[in-house]
Amino acid sequence: MERLLSTRARTTTSSTIRDLLKLLEQPDVLSLAGGLPAAETFPVARMREAAQRVLGEAGTYGSAALQYGPTEGVAALREWVAAVLPNAMPEQALITTGSQQGLDLVFHALVDPGDAVVVEAPSYVGALQALEATSPELVMIPMDGDGLRVDVLAAQLRAGLRPKCLYTVPNFQNPTGATLSYERRVELAALADRYGFLVVEDDPYGVLRFRGSRVPLMRTMTEHAVTLGTVSKLLAPGLRVGWVVGPEWLFGSLVKLKQARDLHTSSLSQHVAADVLSDETFMSGHLARLPGVYRTRADALYTSMTEAFGERLQMVAPDGGMFLWGRFDGLDTNAWLQRAVRERVAFVPGTSFHRGEGRGRDEARFSFATLTPAQLAEAVGRLRAAA
Ligand SMILES: Cc1ncc(COP(=O)(O)O)c(C=O)c1O
């Protein structure tokens, strides 16, 4: 009966990482593979209080948290988004079911089959999956320690490339951990204005900065930008609450597409998120503690990796986020993973984040988010044994 499946259902690729995660559920496996945030940072007590208030105080919320709501999202949450993002009005903010849905909506609103779309090489797998559902012509532009090579993009634009949009994770990118420098953001904004494409900036990790100073979002530099955000790394991913803030001409199409997909994001989740996010006293304490957890782990993994692999490894210490990216001289990371799983340790080989035969074969992504420094040191010992 598989013949009944649509071409889209048959050709949509499953994420190698999700497939791998299924194999890693045994407790003695040390996984550097997943993209899960540190569960001990989830503000469970404050969320319980929010849920109680949202469901318990008829005067504050009525039964709105259990009723259907507007596709655009709950007003209090749209107002919070507009208040934390520069140059944003509540009417421009669409609440989405995680930023993953935001990506799906934005790409479907913009891309017809065969349209050129620029992505970073390597890029976030979930964005590639959402994008590939629209059958674009993918143009992959390399990255370095300062993010996307905007000079390479500029040369391709001069040579005639005319993309509809460009997808970037500007802060602590998944998978490389790199941050797009201020100078490159300014240049990229000028290119978007000049050549008339939209910059899709996806920023789930900006809140996890543990070193250095914040770089302004691209939306402050050009009107040709749409910004995606999420509570997934800020509060907890199980809420499935994210947002898209974009130009007026795009907004109506995003709302129509979302309506057909899920009517609206969970009212209960939105009300709980809004209650916690708008508690300034709680949030300032939470934001002050959150990045420190990740810094300790990032430093522990970076130190162990560089000691274990020495000259053979090229790796940049990140200033935030959840990932370390490495290039290993003479090591095929797909073959290494097979041996590593036998040693009960896992990571994601670089080929998952690239498109095109053999690209990223000597690269790999390591998440430091969910293991303690002692577990990270043990994981690196196992990785070394499997190399
Ligand atoms: C770059 C990036 N964008 C978007 C997402 C999706 O996040 P969510 O749908 O939980 O908001 C992720 C999750 O790992 C990510 O790494």
Side-chain angles (χ1 to χ4, degrees):
M1 294 303 274
E2 266 175 46
R3 68 185 169 78
L4 297 180
L5 289 172
S6 69
T7 311
R8 170 157 300 160
R10 271 182 276 124
T11 53
T12 298
T13 52
S14 158
S15 150
T16 322
I17 306 173
R18 286 203 157 273
D19 293 346
L20 189 71
L21 282 176
K22 283 186 219 141
L23 299 174
L24 297 176
E25 275 157 14
Q26 303 98 314
D28 58 339
V29 172
L30 292 174
S31 178
L32 308 172
L36 309 184
E40 50 291 29
T41 67
F42 300 162
V44 180
R46 183 62 186 81
M47 292 235 254
R48 188 183 303 121
E49 201 184 303
Q52 241 150 21
R53 184 168 318 149
V54 162
L55 292 173
E57 287 179 22
T60 313
Y61 295 100
S63 356
L66 297 176
Q67 188 53 283
Y68 284 120
T71 303
E72 291 83 347
V74 163
L77 196 51
R78 299 175 77 197
E79 278 157 23
W80 179 85
V81 170
V84 293
L85 278 187
N87 305 343
M89 303 289 285
E91 310 81 75
Q92 291 173 285
L94 172 65
I95 305 302
T96 55
T97 302
S99 52
Q100 185 65 33
Q101 184 183 53
L103 291 171
D104 176 60
L105 298 176
V106 169
F107 294 143
H108 276 88
L110 294 172
V111 183
D112 283 316
D115 282 344
V117 176
V118 176
V119 297
E120 296 163 324
S123 192
Y124 165 52
V125 176
L128 292 175
Q129 275 186 301
L131 196 47
E132 279 164 349
T134 67
S135 309
E137 176 165 340
L138 278 187
V139 180
M140 303 205 68
I141 300 288
M143 298 183 66
D144 64 17
D146 285 328
L148 183 83
R149 288 278 308 275
V150 177
D151 59 325
V152 175
L153 173 66
Q156 294 211 19
L157 292 165
R158 279 197 300 277
L161 172 68
R162 291 296 175 268
K164 275 266 180 87
C165 59
L166 174 146
Y167 171 69
T168 178
V169 180
N171 297 313
F172 321 121
Q173 194 232 17
N174 179 1
T176 63
T179 291
L180 188 61
S181 71
Y182 177 75
E183 293 71 21
R184 288 192 189 176
R185 292 183 196 207
V186 173
E187 285 166 39
L188 183 54
L191 292 175
D193 289 344
R194 177 152 171 206
Y195 292 98
F197 60 85
L198 195 67
V199 175
V200 181
E201 61 176 346
D202 179 15
D203 186 28
Y205 300 108
V207 289
L208 301 183
R209 176 178 281 284
F210 47 71
R211 258 191 292 272
S213 44
R214 213 154 124 180
V215 188
L217 285 170
M218 302 272 315
R219 61 179 302 98
T220 63
M221 303 169 186
T222 172
E223 286 177 3
H224 290 117
V226 54
T227 307
L228 290 91
T230 178
V231 303
S232 290
K233 280 85 197 185
L234 178 60
L235 299 178
L239 285 168
R240 307 310 302 133
V241 169
W243 51 88
V244 178
V245 180
E248 209 182 315
W249 58 264
L250 181 65
F251 190 81
S253 301
L254 297 176
V255 173
K256 275 189 283 177
L257 287 168
K258 180 170 167 66
Q259 227 157 33
R261 281 162 165 76
D262 66 353
L263 302 182
H264 63 80
T265 295
S266 156
S267 305
L268 181 57
S269 278
Q270 291 188 69
H271 280 290
V272 168
D275 186 80
V276 179
L277 293 169
S278 47
D279 177 349
E280 285 176 24
T281 312
F282 170 77
M283 284 308 290
S284 66
H286 179 64
L287 282 169
R289 286 186 301 271
L290 184 64
V293 175
Y294 291 91
R295 183 187 53 228
T296 312
R297 295 174 184 192
D299 290 348
L301 183 60
Y302 178 78
T303 308
S304 301
M305 287 296 279
T306 48
E307 278 172 15
F309 292 92
E311 298 273 286
R312 199 176 181 191
L313 167 66
Q314 283 174 50
M315 185 172 258
V316 178
D319 292 335
M322 297 180 4
F323 305 110
L324 277 180
W325 180 252
R327 175 171 290 143
F328 296 82
D329 201 15
L331 195 57
D332 176 330
T333 56
N334 280 294
W336 182 24
L337 177 63
Q338 305 304 320
R339 298 190 295 275
V341 169
R342 288 198 289 275
E343 297 285 336
R344 315 205 74 64
V345 62
F347 59 88
V348 186
T351 48
S352 298
F353 309 95
H354 283 279
R355 290 294 181 266
E357 199 51 42
R359 301 193 58 195
R361 205 166 14 195
D362 58 353
E363 297 172 320
R365 187 194 78 177
F366 305 88
S367 166
F368 48 77
T370 51
L371 300 181
T372 64
Q375 289 172 316
L376 290 165
E378 168 63 24
V380 174
R382 296 184 194 180
L383 287 172
R384 184 80 193 83

